[in-house]
Amino acid sequence: MIRVLANDGIAANGKSQLEAAGFEVVTDHIPQDELMTKLNDFDVICVRSATKVRQDLIDASPNLKVICRGGVGIDNIDHAYAKTKGIPTYNTPAASSASVAELVFAHFFGLSRDVQRSNSELRQEGSEFKKLKKAYAGGQQLRGRTLGILGFGRIGVEAARIAIGLGMNVLPVDLVKESEAIEIDLMGRKVMVEVPVVSMDKMLAEADYITIHVPGGNLIGEEELAKMKKGVILANTSRGGVINEDALLAALESGQVRGAALDVFIGEPTPRRDLLENPKVSVTPHIGAATGEAQYNIGTELADQIIAHFGK
């Protein structure tokens, strides 16, 4: 029997689907330092962000036949090295796109109306209702503003779909695409909207909001932040370090950046305190794909890929 280790968990539907196809699925978490001696008991490992599958672990597991990542990025897997050993790496790029894009806009709405700050301050003993009402009277709405999208893959397209529905202008940046036809559902009526890709400089100069959906790299630093419109609001739900954290804090302090939404950090699982405690930063603990719908889709996609690989 083919044994699957879902070391960071798998949705019940995915587990049931694999078991119905004749696989044994183990969901008991094995600590990273114990995998070196225990992973070789399995044919497949499924991970999310927590478990790392590096070269030394691959070398210690000659029985390993498939590596799966429940999510988009595969930077916690030495996938190129695995390929040289004849071990394919599968991920689930489409499963969580809508959930991640919706989290971006949850942050955008909150930052635009200072929800994260007023919510906390109003609850404090001795808070002055009228004073806070006046302090947070300078909100802004998203309709009519411009969204910049850095990385126009599946999640970027979902972000564009939401933005267009809100009445925003969209300026995507991508290294591969020149445009994308996006289907918008307007009260049950399907409408196709062609969205052209623009240059990085144009996006930085014109966007009121910017969301980042790239696999990694230090792409937004002091120079890029200086090119942005004053008062821009940023969101990073891709990878920690895509925005230089020191430069971001300086831009928040100067007012160049009005607010930042961060779901990912360089120091996970212990992000730097000055980011977490900055009142202009809205934070979540890497939960972009943490919806029931996304996890169901991830479970189905992983199961389909594993079953297809083994010809079941």
Side-chain angles (χ1 to χ4, degrees):
M1 179 179 288
I2 297 170
R3 304 189 75 215
V4 178
L5 173 63
N7 207 43
D8 298 332
I10 187 171
N13 62 295
K15 184 175 186 288
S16 298
Q17 188 177 342
L18 286 168
E19 290 174 338
F23 294 82
E24 178 186 355
V25 183
V26 175
T27 56
D28 296 331
H29 178 76
I30 299 176
Q32 186 76 46
D33 59 357
E34 296 180 20
L35 282 172
M36 292 290 288
T37 58
K38 295 182 178 179
L39 182 56
N40 202 40
D41 295 335
F42 297 89
D43 303 279
V44 180
I45 183 170
C46 295
V47 304
R48 294 200 60 195
S49 299
T51 302
K52 316 299 181 188
V53 186
R54 301 302 186 196
Q55 179 175 335
D56 58 348
L57 182 56
I58 294 168
D59 286 339
S61 311
N63 289 331
L64 188 63
K65 300 176 181 66
V66 174
I67 303 169
C68 294
R69 164 72 161 88
V72 180
I74 52 175
D75 49 309
N76 57 322
I77 300 168
D78 285 345
H79 55 94
Y81 182 74
K83 185 177 181 180
T84 68
K85 295 288 187 176
I87 304 171
T89 298
Y90 299 108
N91 65 341
T92 58
S96 59
S97 300
S99 292
V100 176
E102 287 185 8
L103 179 64
V104 168
F105 280 87
H107 280 292
F108 279 162
F109 281 120
L111 286 166
S112 298
R113 302 299 300 271
D114 294 303
V115 172
Q116 84 284 0
R117 298 175 68 179
S118 60
N119 182 277
S120 173
E121 292 179 20
L122 186 58
R123 294 171 185 269
Q124 294 175 14
E125 185 71 26
S127 64
E128 298 182 34
F129 191 96
K130 290 183 178 180
K131 183 177 180 180
L132 289 176
K133 181 177 180 180
K134 183 177 180 180
Y136 295 116
Q140 64 185 42
Q141 62 183 40
L142 277 70
R143 181 174 298 277
R145 296 186 183 269
T146 298
L147 174 68
I149 303 172
L150 183 52
F152 206 33
R154 290 177 175 87
I155 301 173
V157 167
E158 286 296 331
R161 182 176 285 114
I162 296 171
I164 292 168
L166 287 170
M168 299 182 77
N169 303 310
V170 178
L171 296 178
V173 175
D174 195 85
L175 295 177
V176 179
K177 297 179 180 178
E178 294 184 357
S179 65
E180 178 79 21
I182 299 178
E183 184 179 81
I184 309 296
D185 189 334
L186 299 176
M187 303 292 288
R189 182 168 60 93
K190 305 297 184 182
V191 177
M192 297 301 296
V193 179
E194 190 73 23
V195 179
V197 167
V198 302
S199 69
M200 182 75 160
D201 282 345
K202 179 177 176 64
M203 185 273 285
L204 293 176
E206 298 182 17
D208 302 293
Y209 296 80
I210 297 175
T211 182
I212 302 170
H213 304 289
V214 294
N218 187 358
L219 301 181
I220 302 296
E222 184 177 346
E223 180 180 347
E224 289 75 23
L225 290 164
K227 291 180 179 179
M228 295 178 187
K229 290 178 70 172
K230 187 175 179 63
V232 67
I233 293 178
L234 308 178
N236 183 17
T237 56
S238 57
R239 286 293 178 268
V242 171
I243 302 176
N244 182 285
E245 293 179 348
D246 289 327
L248 175 60
L249 284 167
L252 288 164
E253 178 66 24
S254 71
Q256 175 67 8
V257 174
R258 170 178 172 142
L262 301 177
D263 187 50
V264 290
F265 307 86
I266 291 175
E268 293 183 33
T270 54
R272 54 196 287 182
R273 298 304 308 176
D274 51 358
L275 270 180
L276 297 181
E277 296 171 1
N278 191 299
K280 295 183 179 180
V281 179
S282 178
V283 295
T284 43
H286 205 151
I287 59 169
T291 64
E293 294 86 348
Q295 292 308 303
Y296 183 93
N297 293 339
I298 288 171
T300 297
E301 197 167 340
L302 286 176
D304 287 344
Q305 291 171 333
I306 294 168
I307 292 167
H309 177 85
F310 289 100
K312 291 283 189 175

